[in-house]
Amino acid sequence: MRCRTPQITALLAGLALCAQLDAAELRQPLPGVHALVGVRVVTAPGEVLESATIVIRDGVVAAVGPDVEPPPDAEIIEFPQKGNGNGNGNGNGNGEAGDEMGGDPGPQPVTVYPGLIEPYLAVELEDSEEDGETPPGRQPLVTPDFEFDPAHWPAEKVEALRSAGFTTALIAPATGMFRGRSLLANLGDGGLAANLLRADVAQHAHLGERGPDGQYPQSLMGSVALFRQTLLDAGWQQRARAAWQRNPAQARPEWRAGIGALAPVLAGEQPLVFVADDTLDSLRILKHVPPAVDLVLVGHGAEYQRLDQLRRDSGRKPRHILPLDFPPAPDVEDENDRDAALEELRHWKHAPENPARMIEAGFPVLLTAHKQSKPPELFAAVAKAVEHGLNAERALAALTTETAEWLGIADRAGRIAPGYMANLVVVDGELFADKPTIREVWVDGARFELAKLEPPEVDPSGTWALTLHFGGNAIDAELKLSGPPSDMKGSLTVMGNELALSQARVSGKTLSIKIESGRLGQGGGTTINLEIEGERGRGTGSGPFGEFSVRGRRTGDDPRGSGDESWIQNRTRAAEVQS
């Protein structure tokens, strides 16, 4: 679906509304020169400056240290510490309450960490072929020559990762057996064109795929056979073509499209990142991938169960990218959970030990937010792994310096040092906590300040008639909202196009909505903020073609029905009971 209209004003409005911009973030348009002063800085794992200044110039760290003076042309940025003790002035400044009666914690130090690096951001693509059909002579699961283009930029996933402190990611295709090439990019605004660091980083594979529409293969045995045959064909083609180039008098060998992209993998010059579904899958992959291949496994969390066999059967210790989706604790009040198998209970107990045990066994380990339902959930999982033996500095390295080393950007990412990209995470207190408070994220010197949401004071559920004013032109739209104000669902219909809202939430009396439209092929971003007063609202929007004003009125009833008490009444009653 694409936005089309013959009128220029409608076109501009349509393009602005066919993109996404996070209303919960305040952005500065240009990097410029900035000085973050009086902050605690973790320049690298195990290296801490208790009070320092970071100078950023044109997207790069110009200086960092306790004696650094901000340059005269820098914007000075200070971070007031939050918390004020217990109200009696007895806070100790370390986040502890001042007396036994409790109270607010003491001031939390503001800590600046290097931007986190995601080693495996999997992106599923729909209908990679223009006509949706596989060309003749191609196996639909074998597409090692696939590579991303700007239209594939996963804007919504990028934004979610960035809000969790990630500033760089390896973006990998997530469909097929031989899936194609990944790329390395920063996670700032501007799509792939503004953020690409390196293309053609690694090749990706998975044995769990089955042929579409009943095509071969339809079993694990068939998938293994196809995988092995593809590697053999790629090796033969490389050798045969090389021999023909040396002696053109002989018959020219047949050329198979696509599999030539596996040549650097077979030569050990490019990593093969292989997704393993379980321990048996890990052993299967180690058996069938040639020793000369630079193999990297995206793990499953149960490697600890057969560590000795993983080392013994392969004779190597491949790098592992480990998800931390630990199983939840069994609910003893649930009859089904009381009947959980002993193996499941053991895995619940030992899964948090997996990263530490992998490292102790000598396997290189990187950590990933892959498999977390939301990226910020990673931090609680890391904290749990630290409680079960994972060294905290090693955990940070697995998200910064070691990942940068693997990806070949250790000279510009993973640390806070002069000459490095100004990719930073500003946190109240420590990063590895159940719910760290991330104040802001910097990508290439561009500041993304994460706005703090206020408790909702209005409930805008229902149908709204909106008018969007672009200069002297007006565009009518319809907004539909449902769900709780803190996490609403809905759609915006404009010029006959119904666009699903990727985010809609209320802070105080302000409704902020975001339109995600990467699938529509549009760039830039759009946000709409409405101040709600009763049944009416007014506000502003911003998009690729500038700012616009918005007015609206509720035309449809709350979908939950008028006979029930409103959400605000229930919330007020609950607050009164608690007080």
Side-chain angles (χ1 to χ4, degrees), residues 9-10 467-475:
T9 55
T467 303
L468 317 177
H469 295 274
F470 290 82
N473 302 295
I475 302 292

Side-chain angles (χ1 to χ4, degrees), residues 102-124:
D104 293 333
Q108 296 291 302
V110 173
T111 304
V112 182
Y113 289 85
L116 305 183
I117 305 173
E118 171 55 68
Y120 186 69
L121 173 56
V123 177
E124 294 188 6

Side-chain angles (χ1 to χ4, degrees), residues 2 51 89 109 133 143 235 268 291 300 330 348 390 395 424 467-468:
R2 297 185 183 275
S51 181
E133 297 180 358
T143 57
H300 41 75
W348 163 74
L390 178 61
L424 314 172
T467 303
L468 317 177

Side-chain angles (χ1 to χ4, degrees), residues 326-527:
F326 304 138
D331 183 0
V332 295
E333 297 182 358
D334 189 302
E335 183 177 348
N336 294 327
D337 278 6
R338 288 202 300 268
D339 295 333
L342 180 59
E343 182 179 353
E344 295 178 21
L345 295 175
R346 283 176 175 166
H347 184 54
W348 163 74
K349 178 180 179 180
H350 295 297
E353 303 170 7
N354 190 58
R357 292 174 67 172
M358 288 283 289
I359 293 173
E360 184 180 358
F363 288 87
V365 167
L366 307 177
L367 300 181
T368 174
H370 178 60
K371 292 190 177 181
Q372 303 287 352
S373 59
K374 296 181 180 179
E377 295 175 357
L378 173 70
F379 299 113
V382 172
K384 191 171 185 178
V386 169
E387 292 177 2
H388 288 77
L390 178 61
N391 179 274
E393 293 178 4
R394 192 67 181 270
L396 181 60
L399 288 163
T400 54
T401 52
E402 292 183 9
T403 307
E405 183 72 29
W406 174 57
L407 294 172
I409 55 170
D411 61 340
R412 70 198 75 174
R415 298 174 179 270
I416 302 176
Y420 278 59
M421 295 183 294
N423 291 352
L424 314 172
V425 186
V426 182
V427 183
D428 284 335
E430 298 293 336
L431 183 62
F432 294 147
D434 284 349
K435 293 183 179 180
T437 301
I438 299 177
R439 288 198 180 192
E440 56 191 57
V441 177
W442 294 68
V443 183
D444 286 323
R447 186 183 186 187
F448 296 83
E449 188 175 1
L450 306 184
K452 303 298 184 292
L453 294 178
E454 299 176 3
E457 298 179 21
V458 294
D459 183 3
S461 296
T463 301
W464 291 74
L466 303 182
T467 303
L468 317 177
H469 295 274
F470 290 82
N473 302 295
I475 302 292
D476 292 331
E478 183 180 71
L479 175 66
K480 293 182 178 180
L481 295 169
S482 62
S486 59
D487 185 19
M488 309 194 81
K489 309 296 181 184
S491 64
L492 181 73
T493 301
V494 58
M495 295 182 297
N497 294 306
E498 184 175 6
L499 305 176
L501 305 180
S502 59
Q503 189 177 85
R505 55 191 181 186
V506 177
S507 176
K509 293 183 178 181
T510 302
L511 166 67
S512 297
I513 67 172
K514 179 179 68 175
I515 300 93
E516 168 59 40
S517 59
R519 65 177 61 92
L520 299 176
Q522 305 294 342
T526 296
T527 183

Side-chain angles (χ1 to χ4, degrees), residues 21-356:
L21 179 68
D22 188 2
E25 297 178 347
L26 307 176
R27 295 169 171 77
Q28 296 197 4
L30 296 173
V33 184
H34 312 279
L36 285 66
V37 301
V39 292
R40 180 174 180 262
V41 183
V42 178
T43 58
E47 302 174 12
V48 182
L49 303 174
E50 290 300 333
S51 181
T53 295
I54 303 172
V55 177
I56 300 171
R57 183 176 294 276
D58 297 330
V60 176
V61 176
V64 57
D67 301 321
V68 171
E69 291 292 332
D73 58 341
E75 176 193 10
I76 305 300
I77 299 175
E78 298 179 292
F79 298 95
Q81 292 187 346
K82 295 190 174 182
N84 59 355
N86 61 3
N88 298 322
N90 295 329
N92 61 9
N94 294 321
E96 298 175 4
D99 57 30
E100 295 181 357
M101 297 301 293
D104 293 333
Q108 296 291 302
V110 173
T111 304
V112 182
Y113 289 85
L116 305 183
I117 305 173
E118 171 55 68
Y120 186 69
L121 173 56
V123 177
E124 294 188 6
L125 303 174
E126 297 181 1
D127 297 331
S128 57
E129 300 292 342
E130 292 184 1
D131 58 3
E133 297 180 358
T134 304
R138 293 294 299 264
Q139 219 292 339
L141 297 182
V142 179
T143 57
D145 53 335
F146 168 83
E147 56 185 5
F148 286 99
D149 64 37
H152 297 138
W153 182 251
E156 190 169 5
K157 289 189 174 184
V158 164
E159 188 176 339
L161 275 176
R162 188 174 61 220
S163 68
F166 288 90
T167 57
T168 307
L170 181 72
I171 302 177
T175 54
M177 174 182 293
F178 283 100
R179 297 177 164 180
R181 305 162 174 140
S182 54
L183 59 81
L184 183 64
N186 276 349
L187 305 180
D189 279 339
L192 185 59
N195 290 283
L196 179 66
L197 299 177
R198 180 184 165 200
D200 199 7
V201 176
Q203 187 69 228
H204 294 260
H206 181 216
L207 286 178
E209 303 294 325
R210 301 294 179 264
D213 302 322
Q215 298 181 54
Y216 173 83
Q218 290 298 310
S219 67
L220 176 59
M221 181 181 296
S223 294
V224 171
L226 177 60
F227 172 77
R228 296 182 63 186
Q229 188 62 53
T230 301
L231 288 185
L232 291 172
D233 290 347
W236 178 87
Q237 177 167 286
Q238 182 182 6
R239 294 189 300 271
R241 300 290 291 188
W244 174 72
Q245 292 289 351
R246 291 192 300 268
N247 181 16
Q250 62 181 314
R252 184 173 63 251
E254 180 183 355
W255 176 77
R256 283 189 56 192
I259 63 173
L262 293 174
V265 171
L266 294 173
E269 299 170 353
Q270 185 179 65
L272 176 62
V273 179
F274 222 122
V275 176
D277 293 331
D278 52 37
T279 306
L280 291 177
D281 204 25
S282 295
L283 295 171
R284 189 178 298 115
I285 293 166
L286 289 168
K287 178 180 179 180
H288 295 296
V289 173
V293 172
D294 180 9
L295 177 64
V296 179
L297 289 179
V298 178
H300 41 75
E303 288 82 3
Y304 69 91
Q305 296 175 353
R306 297 194 179 184
L307 277 179
D308 291 339
Q309 191 174 358
L310 287 174
R311 288 182 296 181
R312 182 180 67 250
D313 287 6
S314 66
R316 51 182 165 172
K317 295 178 181 177
R319 189 182 309 275
H320 277 68
I321 299 174
L322 292 183
L324 301 180
D325 56 333
F326 304 138
D331 183 0
V332 295
E333 297 182 358
D334 189 302
E335 183 177 348
N336 294 327
D337 278 6
R338 288 202 300 268
D339 295 333
L342 180 59
E343 182 179 353
E344 295 178 21
L345 295 175
R346 283 176 175 166
H347 184 54
W348 163 74
K349 178 180 179 180
H350 295 297
E353 303 170 7
N354 190 58

